[in-house]
Amino acid sequence: MGLTADQLKASIDSLAAIEPGFAQALTATGYPEPRIRERGYTTLLRTIVGQQVSVAAASSMWNKLAAKLGEECAPEKLLAEDFDSLRACGLSRQKQGYARSLAELVVTGALPLNALPDDDEEAIAYLTQVKGIGRWSAEIYLLFAEGRPDVWPAGDLAVQEGVKRLLGMAERPAEKATREVAEKWRPHRGAAAIFTWHFYATGFEAI
């Protein structure tokens, strides 16, 4: 599961003690709510189903899949379905390819979701074996589903814009600069990301 409210508070308090922008923003916006997802295959499959479609469309597709395959949409059951059957649930050819890639890796044991490496970069490498799961999706999974405290999705545009506002920067930093500026926030970068999204969503600017 993701970082708890208590874990977020402790980490954000630590960040506020070393970074004035965090302290000022915390006073203005308060603490964010936890972002928690279930660990495992179903969460990753939901990620694939939801890519590049509206929330309503993703929900419709998932409900159709769950009605056909069962609530967990077990990988063995998904692999047993043919193209037309999954197409009737709303999955395009591309999404079917991604979903089958995930299911096959889980069934064969090549993607050990219950025993991913402790090293975040190694875990990301495992997750990105799945077609359709890039670095950002892997980082979000590790942060929301596994609660890894130092995952930092620096390629996320909202994170970049939030960092700009938190630190009073003239321009939104690129991914490399966003990674570099957060080095001093270790080992609390996961909470930093969640707070950055929270701060960005409020529309506040740095003081």
Side-chain angles (χ1 to χ4, degrees):
M1 61 182 291
L3 297 171
T4 66
D6 287 344
Q7 289 173 313
L8 281 175
K9 184 178 185 301
S11 287
I12 291 168
D13 286 346
S14 295
L15 291 164
I18 62 173
E19 188 68 75
F22 275 96
Q24 293 164 353
L26 182 59
T27 298
T29 68
Y31 296 96
E33 292 295 319
R35 297 193 177 199
I36 295 174
R37 302 289 182 272
E38 289 294 324
R39 184 183 190 187
Y41 157 83
T42 304
T43 290
L44 285 172
L45 183 59
R46 278 185 175 273
T47 298
I48 289 169
V49 168
Q51 287 174 341
Q52 298 181 325
V53 297
S54 68
V55 172
S59 179
S60 175
M61 281 190 279
W62 185 262
N63 288 339
K64 290 175 182 177
L65 273 176
K68 178 171 286 294
L69 305 178
E71 192 61 35
E72 300 301 315
C73 295
E76 297 85 357
K77 291 184 177 180
L78 188 147
L79 291 171
E81 295 293 333
D82 61 21
F83 175 84
D84 289 337
S85 177
L86 294 177
R87 185 71 183 87
C89 294
L91 270 67
S92 65
R93 184 177 298 277
Q94 184 179 61
K95 282 189 186 292
Q96 289 193 38
Y98 294 168
R100 289 185 186 280
S101 172
L102 170 63
E104 287 169 358
L105 288 166
V106 169
V107 167
T108 62
L111 181 58
L113 289 174
N114 291 324
L116 288 172
D118 290 337
D119 180 85
D120 292 338
E121 289 300 321
E122 290 182 18
I124 288 169
Y126 266 95
L127 291 167
T128 53
Q129 293 179 90
V130 181
K131 293 177 182 178
I133 298 293
R135 183 181 180 91
W136 180 86
S137 295
E139 289 171 332
I140 296 303
Y141 175 82
L142 292 176
L143 182 54
F144 292 175
E146 295 212 341
R148 300 208 179 194
D150 202 39
V151 170
W152 179 237
D156 185 282
L157 294 181
V159 166
Q160 294 170 5
E161 182 64 24
V163 166
K164 172 197 165 188
R165 295 181 187 182
L166 279 166
L167 302 185
M169 302 170 78
E171 297 182 354
R172 175 169 57 82
E175 180 174 354
K176 181 179 179 182
T178 302
R179 291 198 184 281
E180 289 172 350
V181 78
E183 280 298 309
K184 64 180 177 180
W185 301 342
R186 290 178 179 271
H188 305 293
R189 293 182 301 170
I194 292 172
F195 183 77
T196 300
W197 284 313
H198 169 67
F199 176 71
Y200 172 75
T202 66
F204 282 97
E205 296 286 343
I207 297 172

PDB file of all heavy atoms in Angstrom, residues 26-55:
ATOM      1  N   LEU A  26       3.191  24.516   3.029  1.00  0.00           N
ATOM      2  CA  LEU A  26       2.474  23.714   4.012  1.00  0.00           C
ATOM      3  C   LEU A  26       1.549  24.587   4.849  1.00  0.00           C
ATOM      4  O   LEU A  26       0.407  24.217   5.143  1.00  0.00           O
ATOM      5  CB  LEU A  26       3.473  22.972   4.900  1.00  0.00           C
ATOM      6  CG  LEU A  26       2.896  22.050   5.967  1.00  0.00           C
ATOM      7  CD1 LEU A  26       2.025  20.964   5.331  1.00  0.00           C
ATOM      8  CD2 LEU A  26       4.029  21.400   6.772  1.00  0.00           C
ATOM      9  N   THR A  27       2.029  25.759   5.204  1.00  0.00           N
ATOM     10  CA  THR A  27       1.193  26.697   5.957  1.00  0.00           C
ATOM     11  C   THR A  27      -0.036  27.098   5.151  1.00  0.00           C
ATOM     12  O   THR A  27      -1.139  27.243   5.691  1.00  0.00           O
ATOM     13  CB  THR A  27       2.014  27.952   6.318  1.00  0.00           C
ATOM     14  OG1 THR A  27       3.112  27.568   7.153  1.00  0.00           O
ATOM     15  CG2 THR A  27       1.155  28.966   7.060  1.00  0.00           C
ATOM     16  N   ALA A  28       0.153  27.240   3.840  1.00  0.00           N
ATOM     17  CA  ALA A  28      -0.941  27.703   2.981  1.00  0.00           C
ATOM     18  C   ALA A  28      -1.941  26.605   2.636  1.00  0.00           C
ATOM     19  O   ALA A  28      -3.143  26.866   2.537  1.00  0.00           O
ATOM     20  CB  ALA A  28      -0.363  28.294   1.689  1.00  0.00           C
ATOM     21  N   THR A  29      -1.458  25.381   2.466  1.00  0.00           N
ATOM     22  CA  THR A  29      -2.318  24.327   1.904  1.00  0.00           C
ATOM     23  C   THR A  29      -2.596  23.161   2.841  1.00  0.00           C
ATOM     24  O   THR A  29      -3.518  22.379   2.593  1.00  0.00           O
ATOM     25  CB  THR A  29      -1.694  23.744   0.627  1.00  0.00           C
ATOM     26  OG1 THR A  29      -0.489  23.022   0.954  1.00  0.00           O
ATOM     27  CG2 THR A  29      -1.361  24.844  -0.373  1.00  0.00           C
ATOM     28  N   GLY A  30      -1.805  23.009   3.891  1.00  0.00           N
ATOM     29  CA  GLY A  30      -1.963  21.854   4.770  1.00  0.00           C
ATOM     30  C   GLY A  30      -1.413  20.584   4.134  1.00  0.00           C
ATOM     31  O   GLY A  30      -0.807  20.617   3.057  1.00  0.00           O
ATOM     32  N   TYR A  31      -1.623  19.477   4.810  1.00  0.00           N
ATOM     33  CA  TYR A  31      -1.068  18.202   4.355  1.00  0.00           C
ATOM     34  C   TYR A  31      -1.957  17.556   3.289  1.00  0.00           C
ATOM     35  O   TYR A  31      -3.186  17.699   3.323  1.00  0.00           O
ATOM     36  CB  TYR A  31      -0.919  17.234   5.533  1.00  0.00           C
ATOM     37  CG  TYR A  31       0.061  17.696   6.581  1.00  0.00           C
ATOM     38  CD1 TYR A  31      -0.386  18.368   7.721  1.00  0.00           C
ATOM     39  CD2 TYR A  31       1.416  17.467   6.432  1.00  0.00           C
ATOM     40  CE1 TYR A  31       0.511  18.800   8.693  1.00  0.00           C
ATOM     41  CE2 TYR A  31       2.324  17.901   7.403  1.00  0.00           C
ATOM     42  CZ  TYR A  31       1.862  18.567   8.523  1.00  0.00           C
ATOM     43  OH  TYR A  31       2.744  18.997   9.472  1.00  0.00           O
ATOM     44  N   PRO A  32      -1.348  16.834   2.362  1.00  0.00           N
ATOM     45  CA  PRO A  32      -2.146  16.126   1.348  1.00  0.00           C
ATOM     46  C   PRO A  32      -2.762  14.852   1.905  1.00  0.00           C
ATOM     47  O   PRO A  32      -2.309  14.318   2.919  1.00  0.00           O
ATOM     48  CB  PRO A  32      -1.102  15.784   0.274  1.00  0.00           C
ATOM     49  CG  PRO A  32       0.174  15.633   1.052  1.00  0.00           C
ATOM     50  CD  PRO A  32       0.096  16.649   2.167  1.00  0.00           C
ATOM     51  N   GLU A  33      -3.793  14.376   1.230  1.00  0.00           N
ATOM     52  CA  GLU A  33      -4.363  13.075   1.555  1.00  0.00           C
ATOM     53  C   GLU A  33      -3.460  11.977   0.979  1.00  0.00           C
ATOM     54  O   GLU A  33      -2.806  12.172  -0.047  1.00  0.00           O
ATOM     55  CB  GLU A  33      -5.761  12.936   0.944  1.00  0.00           C
ATOM     56  CG  GLU A  33      -6.800  13.850   1.568  1.00  0.00           C
ATOM     57  CD  GLU A  33      -7.054  13.504   3.027  1.00  0.00           C
ATOM     58  OE1 GLU A  33      -7.130  12.312   3.356  1.00  0.00           O
ATOM     59  OE2 GLU A  33      -7.168  14.453   3.830  1.00  0.00           O
ATOM     60  N   PRO A  34      -3.409  10.815   1.620  1.00  0.00           N
ATOM     61  CA  PRO A  34      -2.627   9.706   1.065  1.00  0.00           C
ATOM     62  C   PRO A  34      -3.157   9.294  -0.310  1.00  0.00           C
ATOM     63  O   PRO A  34      -4.347   9.458  -0.609  1.00  0.00           O
ATOM     64  CB  PRO A  34      -2.833   8.582   2.088  1.00  0.00           C
ATOM     65  CG  PRO A  34      -3.237   9.263   3.348  1.00  0.00           C
ATOM     66  CD  PRO A  34      -4.024  10.470   2.918  1.00  0.00           C
ATOM     67  N   ARG A  35      -2.266   8.778  -1.128  1.00  0.00           N
ATOM     68  CA  ARG A  35      -2.642   8.223  -2.430  1.00  0.00           C
ATOM     69  C   ARG A  35      -2.270   6.739  -2.398  1.00  0.00           C
ATOM     70  O   ARG A  35      -1.085   6.405  -2.474  1.00  0.00           O
ATOM     71  CB  ARG A  35      -1.923   8.940  -3.563  1.00  0.00           C
ATOM     72  CG  ARG A  35      -2.284  10.421  -3.661  1.00  0.00           C
ATOM     73  CD  ARG A  35      -1.813  11.011  -4.974  1.00  0.00           C
ATOM     74  NE  ARG A  35      -2.199  12.399  -5.119  1.00  0.00           N
ATOM     75  CZ  ARG A  35      -2.249  13.053  -6.288  1.00  0.00           C
ATOM     76  NH1 ARG A  35      -1.924  12.402  -7.403  1.00  0.00           N
ATOM     77  NH2 ARG A  35      -2.597  14.315  -6.349  1.00  0.00           N
ATOM     78  N   ILE A  36      -3.275   5.907  -2.254  1.00  0.00           N
ATOM     79  CA  ILE A  36      -3.018   4.486  -2.003  1.00  0.00           C
ATOM     80  C   ILE A  36      -3.750   3.625  -3.025  1.00  0.00           C
ATOM     81  O   ILE A  36      -4.932   3.840  -3.307  1.00  0.00           O
ATOM     82  CB  ILE A  36      -3.441   4.101  -0.569  1.00  0.00           C
ATOM     83  CG1 ILE A  36      -2.550   4.832   0.444  1.00  0.00           C
ATOM     84  CG2 ILE A  36      -3.371   2.595  -0.369  1.00  0.00           C
ATOM     85  CD1 ILE A  36      -2.960   4.636   1.885  1.00  0.00           C
ATOM     86  N   ARG A  37      -3.031   2.673  -3.598  1.00  0.00           N
ATOM     87  CA  ARG A  37      -3.601   1.696  -4.520  1.00  0.00           C
ATOM     88  C   ARG A  37      -3.269   0.296  -4.016  1.00  0.00           C
ATOM     89  O   ARG A  37      -2.316   0.114  -3.248  1.00  0.00           O
ATOM     90  CB  ARG A  37      -3.025   1.871  -5.925  1.00  0.00           C
ATOM     91  CG  ARG A  37      -3.236   3.242  -6.545  1.00  0.00           C
ATOM     92  CD  ARG A  37      -4.670   3.475  -6.929  1.00  0.00           C
ATOM     93  NE  ARG A  37      -4.842   4.773  -7.575  1.00  0.00           N
ATOM     94  CZ  ARG A  37      -5.085   5.903  -6.945  1.00  0.00           C
ATOM     95  NH1 ARG A  37      -5.184   5.899  -5.611  1.00  0.00           N
ATOM     96  NH2 ARG A  37      -5.235   7.035  -7.590  1.00  0.00           N
ATOM     97  N   GLU A  38      -4.025  -0.687  -4.469  1.00  0.00           N
ATOM     98  CA  GLU A  38      -3.728  -2.072  -4.121  1.00  0.00           C
ATOM     99  C   GLU A  38      -2.463  -2.524  -4.834  1.00  0.00           C
ATOM    100  O   GLU A  38      -2.222  -2.169  -5.988  1.00  0.00           O
ATOM    101  CB  GLU A  38      -4.890  -2.979  -4.533  1.00  0.00           C
ATOM    102  CG  GLU A  38      -6.145  -2.809  -3.695  1.00  0.00           C
ATOM    103  CD  GLU A  38      -5.950  -3.253  -2.252  1.00  0.00           C
ATOM    104  OE1 GLU A  38      -5.214  -4.240  -2.024  1.00  0.00           O
ATOM    105  OE2 GLU A  38      -6.523  -2.620  -1.365  1.00  0.00           O
ATOM    106  N   ARG A  39      -1.681  -3.313  -4.147  1.00  0.00           N
ATOM    107  CA  ARG A  39      -0.464  -3.855  -4.742  1.00  0.00           C
ATOM    108  C   ARG A  39      -0.806  -5.027  -5.652  1.00  0.00           C
ATOM    109  O   ARG A  39      -1.675  -5.839  -5.331  1.00  0.00           O
ATOM    110  CB  ARG A  39       0.453  -4.334  -3.613  1.00  0.00           C
ATOM    111  CG  ARG A  39       1.805  -4.843  -4.034  1.00  0.00           C
ATOM    112  CD  ARG A  39       2.529  -5.345  -2.803  1.00  0.00           C
ATOM    113  NE  ARG A  39       3.914  -5.653  -3.059  1.00  0.00           N
ATOM    114  CZ  ARG A  39       4.718  -6.227  -2.177  1.00  0.00           C
ATOM    115  NH1 ARG A  39       4.244  -6.550  -0.989  1.00  0.00           N
ATOM    116  NH2 ARG A  39       5.971  -6.476  -2.472  1.00  0.00           N
ATOM    117  N   GLY A  40      -0.164  -5.112  -6.819  1.00  0.00           N
ATOM    118  CA  GLY A  40      -0.304  -6.306  -7.637  1.00  0.00           C
ATOM    119  C   GLY A  40      -0.804  -6.087  -9.054  1.00  0.00           C
ATOM    120  O   GLY A  40      -0.963  -4.966  -9.540  1.00  0.00           O
ATOM    121  N   TYR A  41      -1.087  -7.201  -9.681  1.00  0.00           N
ATOM    122  CA  TYR A  41      -1.450  -7.275 -11.090  1.00  0.00           C
ATOM    123  C   TYR A  41      -2.660  -6.423 -11.453  1.00  0.00           C
ATOM    124  O   TYR A  41      -2.660  -5.716 -12.475  1.00  0.00           O
ATOM    125  CB  TYR A  41      -1.705  -8.751 -11.435  1.00  0.00           C
ATOM    126  CG  TYR A  41      -2.573  -9.012 -12.633  1.00  0.00           C
ATOM    127  CD1 TYR A  41      -2.034  -8.989 -13.924  1.00  0.00           C
ATOM    128  CD2 TYR A  41      -3.931  -9.304 -12.481  1.00  0.00           C
ATOM    129  CE1 TYR A  41      -2.835  -9.236 -15.022  1.00  0.00           C
ATOM    130  CE2 TYR A  41      -4.735  -9.555 -13.567  1.00  0.00           C
ATOM    131  CZ  TYR A  41      -4.189  -9.515 -14.836  1.00  0.00           C
ATOM    132  OH  TYR A  41      -4.979  -9.764 -15.923  1.00  0.00           O
ATOM    133  N   THR A  42      -3.704  -6.469 -10.632  1.00  0.00           N
ATOM    134  CA  THR A  42      -4.944  -5.787 -10.984  1.00  0.00           C
ATOM    135  C   THR A  42      -4.741  -4.283 -11.112  1.00  0.00           C
ATOM    136  O   THR A  42      -5.282  -3.643 -12.019  1.00  0.00           O
ATOM    137  CB  THR A  42      -6.045  -6.089  -9.947  1.00  0.00           C
ATOM    138  OG1 THR A  42      -6.213  -7.502  -9.832  1.00  0.00           O
ATOM    139  CG2 THR A  42      -7.362  -5.475 -10.356  1.00  0.00           C
ATOM    140  N   THR A  43      -3.946  -3.704 -10.242  1.00  0.00           N
ATOM    141  CA  THR A  43      -3.676  -2.268 -10.312  1.00  0.00           C
ATOM    142  C   THR A  43      -2.944  -1.915 -11.605  1.00  0.00           C
ATOM    143  O   THR A  43      -3.256  -0.911 -12.256  1.00  0.00           O
ATOM    144  CB  THR A  43      -2.869  -1.815  -9.085  1.00  0.00           C
ATOM    145  OG1 THR A  43      -3.711  -1.873  -7.934  1.00  0.00           O
ATOM    146  CG2 THR A  43      -2.340  -0.398  -9.239  1.00  0.00           C
ATOM    147  N   LEU A  44      -1.972  -2.726 -12.000  1.00  0.00           N
ATOM    148  CA  LEU A  44      -1.259  -2.463 -13.247  1.00  0.00           C
ATOM    149  C   LEU A  44      -2.168  -2.639 -14.456  1.00  0.00           C
ATOM    150  O   LEU A  44      -2.078  -1.874 -15.423  1.00  0.00           O
ATOM    151  CB  LEU A  44      -0.035  -3.379 -13.364  1.00  0.00           C
ATOM    152  CG  LEU A  44       1.150  -2.990 -12.485  1.00  0.00           C
ATOM    153  CD1 LEU A  44       2.226  -4.072 -12.536  1.00  0.00           C
ATOM    154  CD2 LEU A  44       1.742  -1.654 -12.930  1.00  0.00           C
ATOM    155  N   LEU A  45      -3.042  -3.628 -14.406  1.00  0.00           N
ATOM    156  CA  LEU A  45      -3.981  -3.814 -15.511  1.00  0.00           C
ATOM    157  C   LEU A  45      -4.925  -2.612 -15.601  1.00  0.00           C
ATOM    158  O   LEU A  45      -5.221  -2.133 -16.705  1.00  0.00           O
ATOM    159  CB  LEU A  45      -4.777  -5.108 -15.323  1.00  0.00           C
ATOM    160  CG  LEU A  45      -5.760  -5.450 -16.453  1.00  0.00           C
ATOM    161  CD1 LEU A  45      -5.039  -5.595 -17.787  1.00  0.00           C
ATOM    162  CD2 LEU A  45      -6.535  -6.729 -16.122  1.00  0.00           C
ATOM    163  N   ARG A  46      -5.378  -2.123 -14.471  1.00  0.00           N
ATOM    164  CA  ARG A  46      -6.226  -0.923 -14.471  1.00  0.00           C
ATOM    165  C   ARG A  46      -5.475   0.269 -15.079  1.00  0.00           C
ATOM    166  O   ARG A  46      -6.070   1.107 -15.793  1.00  0.00           O
ATOM    167  CB  ARG A  46      -6.666  -0.575 -13.054  1.00  0.00           C
ATOM    168  CG  ARG A  46      -7.863  -1.362 -12.545  1.00  0.00           C
ATOM    169  CD  ARG A  46      -8.284  -0.834 -11.185  1.00  0.00           C
ATOM    170  NE  ARG A  46      -9.492  -1.443 -10.683  1.00  0.00           N
ATOM    171  CZ  ARG A  46     -10.723  -1.029 -10.953  1.00  0.00           C
ATOM    172  NH1 ARG A  46     -10.909   0.008 -11.748  1.00  0.00           N
ATOM    173  NH2 ARG A  46     -11.774  -1.640 -10.443  1.00  0.00           N
ATOM    174  N   THR A  47      -4.182   0.363 -14.813  1.00  0.00           N
ATOM    175  CA  THR A  47      -3.367   1.438 -15.384  1.00  0.00           C
ATOM    176  C   THR A  47      -3.373   1.362 -16.901  1.00  0.00           C
ATOM    177  O   THR A  47      -3.549   2.373 -17.595  1.00  0.00           O
ATOM    178  CB  THR A  47      -1.922   1.350 -14.857  1.00  0.00           C
ATOM    179  OG1 THR A  47      -1.921   1.521 -13.446  1.00  0.00           O
ATOM    180  CG2 THR A  47      -1.037   2.416 -15.492  1.00  0.00           C
ATOM    181  N   ILE A  48      -3.196   0.159 -17.428  1.00  0.00           N
ATOM    182  CA  ILE A  48      -3.198  -0.033 -18.878  1.00  0.00           C
ATOM    183  C   ILE A  48      -4.566   0.301 -19.471  1.00  0.00           C
ATOM    184  O   ILE A  48      -4.668   1.011 -20.486  1.00  0.00           O
ATOM    185  CB  ILE A  48      -2.787  -1.482 -19.215  1.00  0.00           C
ATOM    186  CG1 ILE A  48      -1.294  -1.674 -18.929  1.00  0.00           C
ATOM    187  CG2 ILE A  48      -3.108  -1.829 -20.671  1.00  0.00           C
ATOM    188  CD1 ILE A  48      -0.830  -3.117 -18.983  1.00  0.00           C
ATOM    189  N   VAL A  49      -5.613  -0.176 -18.852  1.00  0.00           N
ATOM    190  CA  VAL A  49      -6.972   0.073 -19.345  1.00  0.00           C
ATOM    191  C   VAL A  49      -7.263   1.574 -19.372  1.00  0.00           C
ATOM    192  O   VAL A  49      -7.910   2.083 -20.296  1.00  0.00           O
ATOM    193  CB  VAL A  49      -8.003  -0.667 -18.468  1.00  0.00           C
ATOM    194  CG1 VAL A  49      -9.428  -0.196 -18.775  1.00  0.00           C
ATOM    195  CG2 VAL A  49      -7.889  -2.166 -18.682  1.00  0.00           C
ATOM    196  N   GLY A  50      -6.749   2.299 -18.391  1.00  0.00           N
ATOM    197  CA  GLY A  50      -7.064   3.719 -18.270  1.00  0.00           C
ATOM    198  C   GLY A  50      -6.203   4.658 -19.080  1.00  0.00           C
ATOM    199  O   GLY A  50      -6.466   5.872 -19.114  1.00  0.00           O
ATOM    200  N   GLN A  51      -5.190   4.143 -19.746  1.00  0.00           N
ATOM    201  CA  GLN A  51      -4.277   5.017 -20.488  1.00  0.00           C
ATOM    202  C   GLN A  51      -4.973   5.691 -21.668  1.00  0.00           C
ATOM    203  O   GLN A  51      -5.649   5.043 -22.466  1.00  0.00           O
ATOM    204  CB  GLN A  51      -3.069   4.220 -20.996  1.00  0.00           C
ATOM    205  CG  GLN A  51      -2.085   3.840 -19.908  1.00  0.00           C
ATOM    206  CD  GLN A  51      -0.972   2.941 -20.400  1.00  0.00           C
ATOM    207  OE1 GLN A  51      -1.076   2.311 -21.442  1.00  0.00           O
ATOM    208  NE2 GLN A  51       0.110   2.872 -19.660  1.00  0.00           N
ATOM    209  N   GLN A  52      -4.799   7.006 -21.758  1.00  0.00           N
ATOM    210  CA  GLN A  52      -5.233   7.810 -22.909  1.00  0.00           C
ATOM    211  C   GLN A  52      -6.742   7.745 -23.174  1.00  0.00           C
ATOM    212  O   GLN A  52      -7.183   7.908 -24.315  1.00  0.00           O
ATOM    213  CB  GLN A  52      -4.451   7.406 -24.161  1.00  0.00           C
ATOM    214  CG  GLN A  52      -2.953   7.652 -24.012  1.00  0.00           C
ATOM    215  CD  GLN A  52      -2.180   7.282 -25.262  1.00  0.00           C
ATOM    216  OE1 GLN A  52      -2.517   6.334 -25.958  1.00  0.00           O
ATOM    217  NE2 GLN A  52      -1.117   8.021 -25.532  1.00  0.00           N
ATOM    218  N   VAL A  53      -7.517   7.479 -22.138  1.00  0.00           N
ATOM    219  CA  VAL A  53      -8.976   7.547 -22.275  1.00  0.00           C
ATOM    220  C   VAL A  53      -9.530   8.284 -21.057  1.00  0.00           C
ATOM    221  O   VAL A  53      -8.849   8.461 -20.051  1.00  0.00           O
ATOM    222  CB  VAL A  53      -9.626   6.140 -22.376  1.00  0.00           C
ATOM    223  CG1 VAL A  53      -9.145   5.412 -23.621  1.00  0.00           C
ATOM    224  CG2 VAL A  53      -9.370   5.316 -21.122  1.00  0.00           C
ATOM    225  N   SER A  54     -10.766   8.711 -21.153  1.00  0.00           N
ATOM    226  CA  SER A  54     -11.403   9.420 -20.040  1.00  0.00           C
ATOM    227  C   SER A  54     -11.640   8.466 -18.870  1.00  0.00           C
ATOM    228  O   SER A  54     -11.636   7.237 -19.031  1.00  0.00           O
ATOM    229  CB  SER A  54     -12.740  10.014 -20.484  1.00  0.00           C
ATOM    230  OG  SER A  54     -13.670   8.977 -20.742  1.00  0.00           O
ATOM    231  N   VAL A  55     -11.868   9.043 -17.707  1.00  0.00           N
ATOM    232  CA  VAL A  55     -12.176   8.236 -16.529  1.00  0.00           C
ATOM    233  C   VAL A  55     -13.433   7.410 -16.766  1.00  0.00           C
ATOM    234  O   VAL A  55     -13.506   6.228 -16.402  1.00  0.00           O
ATOM    235  CB  VAL A  55     -12.343   9.150 -15.296  1.00  0.00           C
ATOM    236  CG1 VAL A  55     -12.853   8.352 -14.102  1.00  0.00           C
ATOM    237  CG2 VAL A  55     -11.032   9.837 -14.949  1.00  0.00           C
TER     238      VAL A  55
END
